[in-house]
Amino acid sequence: MQVGDAEAPVTMSRRREQIRVRIPELPAQRNAHMRGVTYALQLLFGLEPGLDGEHLDDGTHVLDAYAMANSTLCSNLPTSGASRRGAPTRTMLRECGVHLRDTIRLLQPTIIHTQGRSSNEATSTHGSLAAIVDEVQWLDDWTAKIRVDAVRAVWCSLPHPSAGPPKAWQWTTSPFYAKVARPALLRARALALSTG
């Protein structure tokens, strides 16, 4: 997997360790991606983003209460893992779609929050999740009801926190966070709760 480290193979336990090592305790010290992930999880769990709202009632940190999955499981960069930059090819999306479908079947998520593509790209025939969705009903530009095999979920498709509009939503003070990301995530949560 394209994780930015020159090591192989990367096991699940090693990948978990790689992720946790890169996540400082203070949100302001996290990279743009993990700040955005933290904000999204806080909202999806019904918490208000901020330092005091990163733990669930049972003490579990929000970053330990979700599953992160990449749409592709390999790299198209000839850099021996020296970079995390790169875009998946259509072949990668098609071939890895089998694994993404299996991941969704096994985890049975109620909400799938994707980052990295615009909603137009995400819904196109070469978007990673769109390629494996059996049914989709878009409710607005960012949220949809979907079915993958027997799994029904709410899909919230947002740009990567550091992409799109300048500094899209890596800070809660950004206009994109306030006007787009936050309302979309809250809408996804409400929809998931209302449909069970």
Side-chain angles (χ1 to χ4, degrees), residues 1-195:
M1 185 196 278
Q2 189 172 307
V3 296
D5 296 318
E7 65 177 271
V10 178
T11 63
M12 290 297 288
S13 58
R14 177 61 182 135
R15 181 61 179 141
R16 188 176 302 112
E17 182 184 341
Q18 287 174 333
I19 291 170
R20 292 306 284 154
V21 165
R22 291 186 178 124
I23 303 171
E25 279 299 312
L26 295 176
Q29 295 174 341
R30 293 180 192 144
N31 66 29
H33 181 209
M34 293 316 296
R35 274 195 301 270
V37 168
T38 305
Y39 298 154
L41 290 170
Q42 288 173 306
L43 291 171
L44 292 173
F45 279 117
L47 304 170
E48 193 57 38
L51 281 171
D52 297 329
E54 293 194 353
H55 292 85
L56 305 178
D57 289 340
D58 67 359
T60 303
H61 194 281
V62 293
L63 292 171
D64 293 321
Y66 82 112
M68 178 188 286
N70 285 31
S71 59
T72 56
L73 302 175
C74 56
S75 173
N76 64 346
L77 295 176
T79 58
S80 302
S83 172
R84 281 180 246 149
R85 296 184 180 276
T89 65
R90 289 184 183 195
T91 301
M92 290 165 63
L93 291 171
R94 183 181 64 249
E95 297 298 322
C96 290
V98 173
H99 302 292
L100 184 59
R101 182 181 287 274
D102 285 344
T103 299
I104 291 170
R105 266 199 306 249
L106 288 169
L107 296 177
Q108 299 183 15
T110 52
I111 297 175
I112 298 174
H113 170 220
T114 56
Q115 298 177 353
R117 292 186 177 272
S118 68
S119 57
N120 287 339
E121 288 177 303
T123 59
S124 72
T125 56
H126 57 275
S128 54
L129 185 57
I132 66 160
V133 168
D134 298 310
E135 291 177 18
V136 62
Q137 176 192 358
W138 282 97
L139 306 174
D140 55 43
D141 290 340
W142 313 101
T143 52
K145 292 181 181 179
I146 62 169
R147 181 179 64 81
V148 177
D149 290 332
V151 179
R152 295 191 177 277
V154 176
W155 179 13
C156 184
S157 175
L158 291 169
H160 190 284
S162 63
K167 302 189 186 306
W169 53 290
Q170 60 182 287
W171 300 106
T172 56
T173 54
S174 75
F176 189 87
Y177 171 84
K179 294 177 182 174
V180 177
R182 181 185 174 91
L185 289 160
L186 291 175
R187 205 163 37 246
R189 172 184 162 78
L191 185 60
L193 289 173
S194 69
T195 58

